[in-house]
Amino acid sequence: MTALAVTFSSVALIGSAAGPAVADSSAALPITSSGDIIVDGVHRRVFISDPSGGKVVATDYNGTVIGTVTSLPGADGLELSADSATVYVAVPGTDEIVAIDTATLTEAGRYATGDGTDPQHLALAGGKLWFGYGSDGHGNIGSLDLSGGQTHVSLAQEAEGTWRDAPLLDSAPGAPDTLAAGSRQYYFTLGIYDVSSGTADRTAFLGGQDAAIGNTAEDLALTSDGTELVVATTAGDFQQAFRTSDLSETIRYPSTYWEQRSVDVAPDGLVAVGTDTYASFKPHVSIYKPGSTVPRRTADFSDEHGGVVQETLLDHGDLAFAPDSSRLFAVTHDLINKYRLRVVTDPGKAVTTMTVNAPATAGRAKSLTVSGKVTNTLGLPAGTTVAVTRTDLESPNGKALPAATVKADGTFSFTDTPPAGSKVTYKVSYAGGADRTAASASDTVEVSRNSPTLTVNKNGSVYDYASDVTFTAHLGTTYKNRTLSLYADTAGDGKGKYLVKTGTVNSAGNLSVTLPLKRDTTVSASFSGDARTAPKTATSWVGAKVKVSLGLSRHYKTATVNGYTKYYFHKTTNPLLTTTMTAYSGRSQKLEFQIYSNGAWRSAGYEYFRINSSGKSVVELGGTHQTGYPMRVRSSYINNSSGDTVNSTTHGSWKYFTFTS
């Protein structure tokens, strides 16, 4: 059973069973119809018959299919031997009862019941296997004796006309000689038989056309001591129990209007009644303590889509308790005829729900109040307490706090002063008991922490290509943690941010790392925080220039003029300009010209030229060359304009030249 969440503020709610029990579950079944269900507690297996599929499917307690026995046309009623070694299945399609080995999940034997008998429902009583058989308008009770070396079938245990269909059958280990029967199709008919003599001697009878009880018996189940018979009827919004001694009514278990489906009684007396809501056909199971008209627990098996309920229960054979009463199994099917095994754990315990409400934020080392509510349909005993655990950075495995006492209205509250900041979780747990499920809930508070000082130097600086640059991160006062992690993010390498150093800062709060810079780089320092100091990150961006040089060739002489080298070219010669630059995919160099005129260097134009993968760019300066003018040229990398942004703008040195005749 899932708890219903209450939505307000920062409430968190969890309603769940604790201890060895598992949560309720649901699993798909590979069947196309459902005939009967029975539980083998020794091997912890659930057997489900599939009439239209002609098979019996075996699952574990979680619904995982572990075996299938086929070639069972019309497979219907199931019964488990007293030693749990054999499951018997009624197979009307071949007029047989087939034995299945529960350990190996293989067929162990076939027993013919007679041509045209159509056996459908089974029960073990008085040392024999009894079966309800027949077709529309004709039904009866037969027995199969497996005690001797040879099997013996005895038919027509009742007078002709008593049963007008194959009657439902049930027995109980506490009354080994009692057999109960009921009609599913023709009026409300019940019968109780003493089978101690080897034949079915009727001891009580109720029904027929004049019975004012209801229309039909959809399902029936004897109590473990055999003193009462619980029946799913179509008589009204209840399911009835009858005393087996005289079939007088003893109690009515409330259910939904007109849609009674199935019943089962656990060995400890729990009564499960399965119904479908009249209007929406929502499968619903109520579980009662014997003699009580208030359900101990309810379960709704409803997958809704667009307001339409997707599942329903079938008549008869949809419910079965585990022999230790720890689980209730139910078979449902949806609108497209897909079947599921639903498992209800701790069916005899009233469900406990809990809410916990803590403030969304709080100050560290300041008192806060956590409140909540725990509810159970049975109420809670006076003096009930709930356990409280605080989980934070200083107690990652949880620290037990003083238990909180639950008031008469189910509410509780407690105060705490969180010593650590960041996310602090308060978990509150109710242990449950023999009649109540355990429950726990939690809520989280974001507790404040101090913000530390954190810096990284060199931000905005630009360095020559391949310079070794030392970065120093400085961490201010913290609580305990003095560790920093230093990361680098190099432009254009595709690696993103990567760790370059982790260490403890020195006594001055510093941690340094030296990096060779070949591209623009962002260095970041990360402090992960501690119980009283918040995490923080600081960054520093530095630029890296490229290596660039320009060579001139085809000149006829050089000379030193005003401290620099000047190249001389004949006016009929085209100078060859060779640029060498740090290579990068798609990179171009900017070739810029200036001419000295009227006492100043003036622009004579520029153009970008692609460099090859080796970092070379060769340009021949053609055209008509004017003589007598001082000129100069340089190669540059311009961030972005040169085709990429991985380095900082870098200008090469000017090269001076002139043309002569």
Side-chain angles (χ1 to χ4, degrees):
M1 297 286 290
T2 55
L4 298 177
V6 181
T7 305
F8 57 90
S9 183
S10 57
V11 174
L13 178 148
I14 303 172
S16 60
V22 295
D24 294 353
S25 63
S26 172
L29 291 171
I31 58 177
T32 55
S33 64
S34 176
D36 200 3
I37 179 174
I38 200 164
V39 184
D40 169 14
V42 172
H43 301 97
R44 296 176 66 82
R45 292 173 177 174
V46 182
F47 292 85
I48 301 142
S49 61
D50 178 2
S52 64
K55 62 187 177 182
V56 170
V57 173
T59 76
D60 62 17
Y61 273 14
N62 295 319
T64 301
V65 176
I66 56 177
T68 302
V69 179
T70 58
S71 301
L72 306 172
D76 198 348
L78 301 173
E79 182 63 300
L80 181 67
S81 64
D83 60 2
S84 292
T86 306
V87 164
Y88 298 100
V89 52
V91 185
T94 58
D95 297 321
E96 292 176 307
I97 295 173
V98 176
I100 297 173
D101 187 307
T102 55
T104 63
L105 302 180
T106 57
E107 185 178 310
R110 288 181 177 250
Y111 310 98
T113 57
D115 292 344
T117 50
D118 292 338
Q120 296 175 40
H121 310 296
L122 302 178
L124 280 166
K128 293 183 179 181
L129 182 60
W130 299 84
F131 55 95
Y133 68 94
S135 56
D136 269 359
H138 301 279
N140 216 310
I141 298 173
S143 64
L144 174 63
D145 188 351
L146 300 173
S147 60
Q150 292 184 337
T151 60
H152 177 71
V153 174
S154 178
L155 300 175
Q157 297 277 323
E158 254 290 11
E160 179 68 26
T162 301
W163 301 105
R164 300 183 64 189
D165 60 352
L168 300 168
L169 299 180
D170 197 31
S171 58
D177 295 324
T178 298
L179 180 68
S183 174
R184 297 183 62 197
Q185 297 183 28
Y186 294 95
Y187 305 109
F188 187 87
T189 306
L190 300 177
I192 303 297
Y193 298 87
D194 179 355
V195 295
S196 59
S197 66
T199 59
D201 298 321
R202 191 169 69 193
T203 59
F205 185 78
L206 179 66
Q209 186 171 358
D210 297 328
I213 303 297
N215 295 324
T216 59
E218 300 294 329
D219 196 10
L220 52 81
L222 281 168
T223 58
S224 58
D225 61 4
T227 60
E228 286 190 322
L229 180 66
V230 184
V231 183
T233 75
T234 57
D237 55 352
F238 54 82
Q239 305 205 40
Q240 299 164 280
F242 300 90
R243 188 176 292 109
T244 55
S245 59
D246 57 5
L247 287 177
S248 60
E249 186 176 338
T250 60
I251 191 174
R252 293 184 175 186
Y253 294 104
S255 60
T256 50
Y257 185 65
W258 289 115
E259 293 298 329
Q260 289 66 35
R261 293 296 188 184
S262 53
V263 298
D264 197 30
V265 179
D268 65 359
L270 288 174
V271 177
V273 296
T275 63
D276 278 339
T277 303
Y278 180 72
S280 62
F281 296 97
K282 178 187 292 184
H284 177 90
V285 174
S286 297
I287 302 164
Y288 295 88
K289 283 288 187 180
S292 173
T293 58
V294 178
R296 175 58 56 90
R297 185 173 180 186
T298 58
D300 287 328
F301 307 134
S302 56
D303 288 336
E304 292 192 20
H305 300 287
V308 178
V309 175
Q310 303 296 303
E311 289 182 273
T312 186
L313 287 167
L314 292 175
D315 298 338
H316 173 63
D318 276 339
L319 297 177
F321 281 100
D324 61 359
S325 305
S326 65
R327 290 169 175 81
L328 175 67
F329 300 92
V331 178
T332 65
H333 71 100
D334 64 15
L335 299 181
I336 56 173
N337 220 32
K338 298 295 185 181
Y339 286 75
R340 303 191 71 81
L341 180 66
R342 297 280 193 163
V343 185
V344 179
T345 59
D346 289 331
K349 293 185 177 183
V351 175
T352 304
T353 60
M354 181 182 291
T355 61
V356 173
N357 182 24
T361 60
R364 192 194 66 78
K366 294 183 179 181
S367 179
L368 58 81
T369 299
V370 179
S371 61
K373 189 172 185 179
V374 56
T375 59
N376 187 280
T377 54
L378 297 179
L380 295 171
T384 294
T385 60
V386 288
V388 180
T389 302
R390 180 186 66 222
T391 302
D392 56 25
L393 291 177
E394 290 198 328
S395 302
N397 296 321
K399 177 181 176 60
L401 301 181
T405 300
V406 180
K407 298 178 182 179
D409 62 357
T411 62
F412 60 85
S413 65
F414 59 89
T415 60
D416 184 49
T417 302
S422 188
K423 183 181 292 185
V424 178
T425 299
Y426 292 95
K427 181 179 180 180
V428 183
S429 302
Y430 168 65
D435 294 326
R436 299 169 178 85
T437 61
S440 64
S442 62
D443 200 7
T444 299
V445 185
E446 192 64 40
V447 178
S448 63
R449 290 184 283 178
N450 298 326
S451 180
T453 299
L454 182 61
T455 60
V456 183
N457 67 350
K458 305 294 177 67
N459 185 47
S461 300
V462 177
Y463 296 90
D464 289 338
Y465 181 82
S467 296
D468 288 333
V469 180
T470 299
F471 298 87
T472 299
H474 175 75
L475 177 65
T477 301
T478 61
Y479 173 49
K480 287 184 177 180
N481 185 10
R482 301 297 292 165
T483 299
L484 291 178
S485 293
L486 303 182
Y487 297 86
D489 189 348
T490 303
D493 64 359
K495 294 168 58 176
K497 186 171 74 172
Y498 56 94
L499 182 68
V500 293
K501 188 174 184 178
T502 295
T504 302
V505 298
N506 61 20
S507 59
N510 297 329
L511 181 67
S512 299
V513 64
T514 299
L515 301 175
L517 295 187
K518 294 184 178 181
R519 294 178 184 172
D520 295 348
T521 300
T522 298
V523 174
S524 58
S526 177
F527 172 65
S528 62
D530 56 34
R532 300 183 185 180
T533 316
K536 195 165 186 178
T537 299
T539 61
S540 174
W541 177 91
V542 294
K545 296 181 179 180
V546 300
K547 291 177 66 175
V548 57
S549 63
L550 177 62
L552 278 62
S553 58
R554 295 180 178 172
H555 52 279
Y556 69 87
K557 74 172 184 175
T558 63
T560 300
V561 178
N562 297 327
Y564 53 82
T565 300
K566 186 173 184 179
Y567 295 81
Y568 291 84
F569 294 88
H570 292 297
K571 67 177 182 178
T572 57
T573 301
N574 291 333
L576 200 62
L577 312 177
T578 301
T579 299
T580 302
M581 181 180 290
T582 305
Y584 187 78
S585 177
R587 177 168 288 179
S588 297
Q589 58 109 350
K590 179 183 180 182
L591 199 61
E592 180 182 6
F593 294 88
Q594 290 185 350
I595 187 169
Y596 193 82
S597 176
N598 296 325
W601 288 103
R602 304 181 188 279
S603 176
Y606 67 88
E607 191 168 343
Y608 284 88
F609 297 94
R610 183 67 60 88
I611 64 171
N612 63 22
S613 59
S614 299
K616 297 289 186 179
S617 173
V618 180
V619 177
E620 184 180 64
L621 183 60
T624 301
H625 305 306
Q626 299 296 319
T627 62
Y629 292 97
M631 299 180 184
R632 65 182 184 179
V633 62
R634 71 177 178 182
S635 293
S636 300
Y637 164 81
I638 309 300
N639 181 275
N640 192 41
S641 297
S642 285
D644 63 80
T645 59
V646 303
N647 285 97
S648 294
T649 294
T650 310
H651 297 290
S653 60
W654 290 104
K655 298 293 184 179
Y656 296 84
F657 67 98
T658 188
F659 290 99
T660 63
S661 57

